[in-house]
Every structure is written in C-alpha cells, then in structure tokens.
Amino acid sequence: TEGGDQSGEEPGGMSRAWGRGPFLRQERSPVSQVEWPQERHITAGFMVRRVLAAGLLFSLLLGSSVLLVYIFRSCGPRPCRTPECHDLQARYLASGNTSVAPCTDFFSFACGDAKGTKSSFQALAEENKRRLREILEKPGSRHLGTGEDKAFQFYSSCVDTGAIEAEGAAPLRQVIEELGGWRISGNWTSLDFNRTLSLLMSQYGYFPFFRAYLRPHPTLPHTPVIQIDQPEFDLPLKQEQEQKIYAQIVREYLAYLSRLGALLGGDPDKVQQHAFLSISITSQLFQFLRPLEQQQAQEKLFQLVTIDQLQEMAPAIDWLSCLQATFTPMSLRPSQLLVVHDLEYLKNMSQLVEEQLLKYRDFLQSHMILGLVGTLSPALDSKFQEARRSLIQKLRELTQRPPMPTSPRWMKCVEETGTFFEPTLTALFIHEAFSPKTQSAAMELFTAIKDTLITRLRRVPWMDEKTRKEAQDRVTQLQVKMGGPEWALKPSLAREEYNDIQLGPSYLQSFLSCVRSLRARIVQNFLQSFPQHRWQVSTWGVSAYYSISDHVVVFPAGLLQPPFFHPGYPRAVNFGAAGSIMAHELLHIFSQLLLPGGCPACDTHALQGALLCLKRHYQSIPLPGGLSFNGSWTLLENAADIGGLAIALQAYSRRLLGYYGETILPNLDLSPLQLFFRSYAQVMCREPSTWEPQDPHSPPMLRVHGPLSNTQAFARHFHCPRGALMNPSKRCQLW
C-alpha cells in the first residue's frame, strides 16, 4: 500500500513539467554535438521517468511477493493444533535428543539415550491395557447377569488383594488334596499316575511332561489337529552350559521349590529331598531334547503318528484317556492322527516316567504338584508371587538377561481378564478405541501402501516376468483383517453368558473355573465350521502378522493407536509409523523368495548380490559395546525393514503430490519428510540392552540406522554430508 501511494504522485508531476515547452515535438539532428539548455531539461525528465518506472515495477514485484507469501502460507504445511498432535509433540520432545546430529546418530536423535526406555510396542501395549482398565473399572457400565458382568466381577476379585491375602494357602491346599495330596505335608493317597496326569491337563491346564494343544492342520482344509510338543521348563537350561552356571541355577531353583514346600506347611527335610528329586527329573527331561538344528538336518521337525502308534512308542502315558479328557467334546479314536514335534523326546520321557513309577512314585507326585504350584502363583497370595518373582529375577541375572520389569497388580488382572473373557473385552475395546472413522482412515492408509507395493514390484531387478506377475497377483488377492474379528463387531458378544464359569468363593477357584471354560471354548471353536481366518492375537494386542496358510494380513486395533496412528495426525506420522509397519508385513508374503532356492526362475546372481549387499550394509553400522548379532538370522526381517520403509516413503511422496493441507508438529522444526523419518524411528525406540540374540529382528539401533542410511532421501532432507553414517557411499536395492 505504501508503494502504491508514491507511484500515484509522480506521474502527475511529470505531466506538468513536460507540458511547459514544445521540445517533445522537435527533432534532433543525429550528428548534432551541441548541447542545448532545453535538452538538459529533457534528459533530466527522462531520468525521472525511468526512476519512477522502476519504482512502479518494484511496487508491483513487492505486491506480488506478498501475494506469493500469502499463497505459500496457505498451501504449505500448517502446524497441527489438535489435542492428539499436542500429545504426540510432547512425546517426541520428551523422548528425543536434538543436541545429537541426526546424520551421525539418528537413533539417539529420535530416541534419546534409550536407557530405561521400554520398547515402543511394549509402551503401546501397556497403554491399551490402561484403556481396558478404564473400561473394567467404569462404574455402572456392566449389564448385570451377563458375561460382561462376570468379566467385571472376575477383574474386581483379582484386584482385591485383601481377600486373597486373607485366604492364604488354604485354596491351594484344597487343590492338592483333590489331586491325592503329597508326602511333603502329610497325607498322601497314591492315585493312579495317569489319572493324576489327566486331571492336571484337563482341569488345571498344566502339562508337566509334554504340551498338547489344538492347531489348524498346515494344509487345506485346515482341519483341527492335536500337536504334541516338549514341555516349557522353568529352568533356563542350555544344551552346552557352563558347569558353574548350571550349578548356580540348580541352587536357586532348589531354594525356590523348598520355599514353596515351606509355604504349604511341609517338613523341611522332606521338602528338601522332594525338591532335589524334582530338579533331577527336570534335568533329565531337558537332556532328552534334540537341538532344532539337528531335527532340521534329519528332516524330522514334525511327524504324523496315530494315538495307537504313540502308545506303543511311549507306553507310560495313557494317551487316549489323557487327550480325550483334555479335548472334550472331541471324539478321539486310537487311529486319530497327531502332529508330534520330537518323537525321540517322548520315547525317552516315557522310559523315565516308568522308572520313576517303579522306584519313586511319591517323588513323581511331588514333582507334578510343585510344577502346578508354580503355574498357579499369579492366583495365589503375595508370598507365593514373591517367591516366583525372586526366582525369575535371579535366574535372569545368572543368564545375563535384563531384569524383568515389575507390573502393577491391576495390569496382571487386566491380562487375566482378557485371556478368559476375550470375546467380551474385544467388543468393548473396539467400541471404545477403534471408531468407524479410525478404521476408514487406517484402511485408506493400507490401500495406499498396497498399491505402491504393486507398482514397485514392476521395478524389482531380480524378478523374472512370471514371478513378478505372480507376486502382483498375490498382493491383489490378499485379504486384510483390521481392527478386530468380524464377530467382535456384534454387540451381543460383549454379553456372552459363560454359563460354565463359577466365580468364587476364592479367587483361585474362580481362576481355575475360567481355565476350564477357556479350554472348552477353544476346543468348541475348533470343532465348529469356521471358514474365516482365526486371529492369532488379541484385538488390543500390538503385533501385526501375515498368515501364510490363509493369505491374510492382520492389523489389530491395539496397533493402530497413538503414537503409531490417529486420523488427526499429520500424514507424515501415519505413513512413517503405521505405514512402514504395514509395508513390512506385506513384504513377508515374499520371504520365501529370498531363501536359497526359493525363486529358481529369478536372476539368482542379482538376488544374491542384493542380499549380500544388505548383510554388509548392516555389518558396517557400529553397535553399542557388548552387542552383536547374526546377520543371517535377522536377514528376512532386515529385508522387510528396508523394503517397508522404502514403500511407505514412496506411498507418502505420492500422497503429497495429490493432496494439499499437510500438517506438521509445532516446535519440532521438522519438515513433513523429516517428520516422516522421525516417526519411523520412533516406532523402533527401545533400550538396546533389552534386545536378545534369539530375536529375529536386529538390535533397535540397527532397525533405525539400517533402513534410514539406505534411503537417499533421508540424507537429502537432513543435509547429511557424503560419508556420514547416515549417508554412506553405497546403498542396496532389494525391493
């Protein structure tokens, strides 16, 4: 406006000056060298006009620049001011360390020093449990007399530690009497061994010598089959363990079993003797296990046998009666096929049981009861729980594993309630935390990721045309399950009756009634015609997965929550966090192709070169002191990490071209693409010491630095100099 006023005065003055003489109408001789006085006046006027014209042009440019600034401010990224964005911004500010150069150590830049930091997935899982707690503790929300009411009652009895402490060990002593008692604390009725074993399996959900469970058959039509596996051992034994460590583990476990016997009123000398024999049995059973590598080498990872055949090979167990009691109402026959994980273990286990029955029948009884007490400890008073907690912590110290975090009582009660009343809590959680708007936004994100993968497959250098077409068809035909199972959307399921659950009079009795009800429901569900995919995670869980047998990818509602996803977040956050997770799971469709011989028609040389490049890329990235990893063991997950980030970035970049109005988080000083990379890294934040070598994923720092340093766009948007950790001279292209 100021420039416009000045330009309005100058033309008028110029017009009056030029109107005083006839010089505009005179011609000058081109050869004239004479400078007339009037000509000097004309030259001065001409200069004034040029100055004023320049001023006018400047005014126009200044006005245009103001307009452009206004346009760019209107169309460029705006700060997100919603409560969800405010919470996310606070989370990012609290977790990161902006004093660290992002090109040198982006893990620290995004995650801070990560000491004491829970895994981002673990933190989200705990947040989901808090939401379930709010549901279960909400006054007046239950429908009396329904299964929903029973779920609320069970949770209330679980958190009522006063009543549990008042009961003490009395409910557990009653259980032991029902099993025939034991010599440790007095009376013992020598029941038939297989009858006791059958009761432990069917009524208490405890399997002392082997595990038996239902699973879908690996081939169509996926009919239910019983699988027999090795038991789960309390002792963290290894095939080749130092004698000193082994002796320390045995001492700690002996002290624990002795403490259990003392809490149940046992004679100290008898307790010590029976505890030692129990450890001896466990140790011998462990020696019967064959390493997984040996089973794979012998191509005997799983074997199909009938109940009759197993009875001949492992005669100490009455297989038909024990399995029939456990899997009622299934009707089992001697010709029933079983899937056996380690047949040699079962043969040796049977021989050991026969020897114990001949010499130490009462010690075998004590071994089974001591194991049961350990599994029931969450339902017992604080003395039993503290004994169990102390054992676990000491064993983790001896095996150089990080301490187990202590969970509050309410969280354990939420977990138990969720296990026993999953249909009810599934419906309630979906209603509370996964609205139709959230589901629609999540499905839109998944569609963008899937479409980008289909496009990207056209340029995978090592695929032949036939494999490429088959791969694209596989992605097109893929089913996606998002939020919760279809049945979870039916409100009536939240009020399921659970007629077979009897609550009280003690919490232990309620707990055991729920154990039996759950077992019966699992069997019943397997017997029903169930054409749809059976979910392998709870709705409030945080684990996505791809099912090979059903060709289904699953993203539970619990995963699609802040800070990974929210409809009100900037798109950069949703694509960087949830989008990269979605792409990661989609790439597991093709994991088989990356294995040796998995794609005979592909360009093997190009594929192996890309995989070798990937291994070297990860090996070149420094790790904190004391950490090492097996690049071959983590290869498939590394490939999915790198490919998942690339696909999510391409999908986000395409979305930026088609949509205006992108937002950013205020006070972070990050552009949309920088925010995308920060959100990806935030998913991987985790204290490095919590990573364990058997994890198929790389250590958390590598899960951040590996994919991001392999992405040229990261170095460009963070202005990383050539040769910096996050801008290496060579990158790998697999997907």
Side-chain angles (χ1 to χ4, degrees):
T1 302
E2 183 180 347
D5 291 340
Q6 290 177 349
S7 63
E9 294 176 358
E10 294 289 355
M14 289 172 62
S15 178
R16 289 191 293 273
W18 282 96
R20 283 197 293 267
F23 299 108
L24 281 176
R25 293 187 296 272
Q26 294 182 353
E27 295 181 4
R28 291 183 58 200
S29 169
V31 295
S32 173
Q33 300 298 318
V34 180
E35 185 175 342
W36 300 91
Q38 293 90 341
E39 195 169 6
R40 287 198 300 269
H41 181 80
I42 293 172
T43 303
F46 179 71
M47 293 300 295
V48 170
R49 186 173 63 174
R50 290 182 63 183
V51 170
L52 294 175
L56 178 62
L57 180 61
F58 175 76
S59 300
L60 289 173
L61 290 173
L62 182 62
S64 299
S65 65
V66 172
L67 179 62
L68 287 172
V69 169
Y70 173 77
I71 291 172
F72 283 131
R73 283 181 177 175
S74 300
C75 298
R78 304 184 311 277
C80 178
R81 305 290 185 185
T82 64
E84 296 80 19
C85 287
H86 176 76
D87 292 344
L88 185 65
Q89 171 198 324
R91 189 188 298 263
Y92 280 13
L93 288 172
S95 62
N97 183 0
T98 54
S99 66
V100 176
C103 298
T104 304
D105 184 358
F106 198 74
F107 179 82
S108 297
F109 178 85
C111 305
D113 61 12
K115 288 183 179 178
T117 302
K118 296 175 182 175
S119 157
S120 295
F121 290 93
Q122 182 185 354
L124 178 55
E126 292 183 4
E127 184 61 35
N128 290 340
K129 289 169 187 174
R130 288 188 186 91
R131 298 191 79 160
L132 288 173
R133 179 191 186 186
E134 291 173 3
I135 293 171
L136 290 167
E137 293 183 353
K138 192 179 296 182
S141 60
R142 69 182 71 182
H143 296 80
L144 297 177
T146 64
E148 184 179 311
D149 186 39
K150 282 189 175 180
F152 282 61
Q153 287 184 47
F154 178 84
Y155 174 79
S156 296
S157 65
C158 180
V159 294
D160 187 0
T161 55
I164 295 173
E165 293 298 317
E167 292 280 354
L172 182 57
R173 290 195 186 97
Q174 182 180 342
V175 167
I176 294 173
E177 288 175 8
E178 291 171 358
L179 291 169
W182 58 349
R183 288 215 187 275
I184 283 179
S185 56
N187 297 329
W188 176 55
T189 303
S190 180
L191 299 180
D192 176 75
F193 165 77
N194 275 291
R195 183 190 167 196
T196 303
L197 180 61
S198 177
L199 286 172
L200 288 170
M201 292 168 59
S202 62
Q203 299 300 304
Y204 301 97
Y206 174 59
F207 298 82
F209 303 106
F210 55 87
R211 281 186 300 149
Y213 55 93
L214 280 173
R215 53 162 290 184
H217 198 280
T219 60
L220 290 172
H222 303 314
T223 52
V225 60
I226 298 173
Q227 180 163 321
I228 311 293
D229 278 357
Q230 64 192 45
E232 294 179 338
F233 294 104
D234 274 348
L235 294 177
L237 302 175
K238 297 179 182 178
Q239 295 291 343
E240 296 180 2
Q241 197 161 43
E242 292 183 21
Q243 189 64 32
K244 180 180 177 182
I245 299 297
Y246 175 80
Q248 290 176 316
I249 289 173
V250 168
R251 278 197 296 271
E252 292 294 345
Y253 198 65
L254 180 61
Y256 164 70
L257 294 183
S258 299
R259 188 173 176 185
L260 292 187
L263 289 173
L264 287 163
D267 176 80
D269 293 335
K270 287 184 179 178
V271 168
Q272 188 87 355
Q273 187 183 18
H274 283 245
F276 187 82
L277 263 293
S278 176
I279 292 175
S280 174
I281 292 171
T282 299
S283 181
Q284 290 180 74
L285 290 174
F286 183 81
Q287 296 302 319
F288 297 152
L289 299 179
R290 288 183 303 150
L292 182 62
E293 295 80 8
Q294 181 182 337
Q295 296 179 49
Q296 290 173 331
Q298 296 175 355
E299 297 183 350
K300 291 183 178 180
L301 194 57
F302 294 102
Q303 291 176 262
L304 287 174
V305 299
T306 65
I307 292 179
D308 251 357
Q309 290 171 333
L310 186 57
Q311 190 65 56
E312 289 182 11
M313 290 183 278
I317 310 297
D318 186 344
W319 293 101
L320 183 59
S321 65
C322 286
L323 294 177
Q324 183 65 76
T326 303
F327 297 105
T328 300
M330 285 183 72
S331 179
L332 301 182
R333 307 175 305 280
S335 60
Q336 181 83 32
L337 276 176
L338 307 172
V339 174
V340 176
H341 180 68
D342 188 344
L343 193 55
E344 289 303 312
Y345 166 82
L346 296 180
K347 292 178 182 177
N348 291 322
M349 175 272 298
S350 174
Q351 185 175 347
L352 175 64
V353 169
E354 287 181 325
E355 293 171 359
Q356 295 292 321
L357 287 172
L358 288 174
K359 300 179 182 178
Y360 309 110
R361 179 180 291 266
D362 55 343
F363 289 101
L364 196 62
Q365 174 82 355
S366 297
H367 169 73
M368 293 190 288
I369 289 179
L370 285 169
L372 174 64
V373 173
T375 63
L376 294 182
S377 60
L380 303 176
D381 67 34
S382 59
K383 298 183 185 68
F384 289 93
Q385 293 183 43
E386 178 54 37
R388 185 76 175 176
R389 188 181 305 115
S390 176
L391 170 71
I392 293 172
Q393 298 292 20
K394 288 176 180 177
L395 293 182
R396 292 181 76 89
E397 288 175 12
L398 288 173
T399 53
Q400 297 183 339
R401 298 171 67 192
M404 181 74 72
T406 302
S407 300
R409 178 70 184 179
W410 68 263
M411 189 173 289
K412 294 179 180 178
C413 292
V414 164
E415 292 168 358
E416 297 294 353
T417 309
T419 297
F420 297 136
F421 298 89
E422 184 173 358
T424 293
L425 263 64
T426 292
L428 294 175
F429 187 82
I430 288 287
H431 179 267
E432 183 75 21
F434 202 66
S435 67
K437 179 182 178 182
T438 302
Q439 182 169 17
S440 176
M443 189 60 76
E444 180 184 346
L445 173 62
F446 174 77
T447 301
I449 296 294
K450 185 179 77 170
D451 291 346
T452 301
L453 173 58
I454 293 173
T455 302
R456 199 174 181 89
L457 286 171
R458 298 172 191 160
R459 302 196 304 273
V460 174
W462 47 269
M463 279 189 180
D464 64 289
E465 286 305 315
K466 181 182 177 184
T467 303
R468 191 187 321 277
K469 179 66 169 59
E470 290 174 351
Q472 290 175 321
D473 290 343
R474 289 280 288 168
V475 178
T476 303
Q477 297 161 7
L478 179 73
Q479 296 183 65
V480 57
K481 304 293 182 182
M482 194 169 288
E486 287 81 356
W487 53 259
L489 305 179
K490 300 175 182 177
S492 59
L493 284 171
R495 305 177 188 180
E496 188 172 312
E497 300 253 343
Y498 304 104
N499 290 327
D500 55 344
I501 291 181
Q502 303 298 320
L503 298 180
S506 70
Y507 175 65
L508 177 60
Q509 289 170 313
S510 298
F511 180 89
L512 291 173
S513 181
C514 289
V515 167
R516 294 159 192 155
S517 172
L518 176 62
R519 178 194 53 77
R521 252 181 294 137
I522 290 173
V523 175
Q524 195 63 48
N525 287 340
F526 267 96
L527 294 178
Q528 292 174 351
S529 176
F530 204 87
Q532 298 170 340
H533 173 73
R534 300 174 190 271
W535 280 52
Q536 299 169 20
V537 295
S538 63
T539 303
W540 53 88
V542 296
S543 298
Y545 66 92
Y546 167 67
S547 169
I548 298 175
S549 58
D550 293 339
H551 193 44
V552 171
V553 64
V554 175
F555 303 101
L559 180 67
L560 299 170
Q561 301 292 323
F564 293 174
F565 181 82
H566 191 279
Y569 277 172
R571 292 188 185 92
V573 174
N574 287 335
F575 274 87
S580 61
I581 294 171
M582 291 176 175
H584 176 109
E585 294 304 326
L586 285 179
L587 287 177
H588 279 314
I589 299 172
F590 310 116
S591 290
Q592 185 67 30
L593 298 179
L594 306 184
L595 298 176
C599 187
C602 293
D603 184 341
T604 307
H605 179 75
L607 174 57
Q608 293 305 315
L611 293 175
L612 181 60
C613 178
L614 198 66
K615 286 184 182 179
R616 289 174 175 170
H617 175 69
Y618 273 77
Q619 289 168 352
S620 69
I621 300 172
L623 282 172
L627 272 185
S628 62
F629 77 107
N630 184 335
S632 299
W633 176 250
T634 62
L635 179 63
L636 294 180
E637 292 296 339
N638 293 344
D641 278 346
I642 278 192
L645 175 65
I647 291 165
L649 175 60
Q650 184 176 340
Y652 176 59
S653 301
R654 291 171 63 179
R655 191 54 56 111
L656 275 180
L657 293 175
Y659 288 83
Y660 295 106
E662 177 62 303
T663 57
I664 55 175
L665 296 179
N667 302 324
L668 287 184
D669 195 26
L670 295 175
S671 69
L673 280 161
Q674 288 176 327
L675 181 58
F676 169 90
F677 293 121
R678 171 70 191 270
S679 299
Y680 167 81
Q682 201 74 30
V683 170
M684 306 301 175
C685 287
R686 175 182 173 186
E687 183 175 350
S689 64
T690 62
W691 178 83
E692 298 183 355
Q694 62 267 30
D695 191 336
H697 303 89
S698 288
M701 187 174 287
L702 279 186
R703 296 197 73 185
V704 173
H705 289 168
L708 290 178
S709 63
N710 196 63
T711 306
Q712 191 170 9
F714 175 89
R716 184 169 65 252
H717 286 280
F718 278 96
H719 314 292
C720 297
R722 193 73 169 171
L725 175 66
M726 302 304 291
N727 189 12
S729 57
K730 185 179 180 181
R731 293 182 172 89
C732 310
Q733 184 183 355
L734 180 63
W735 296 109

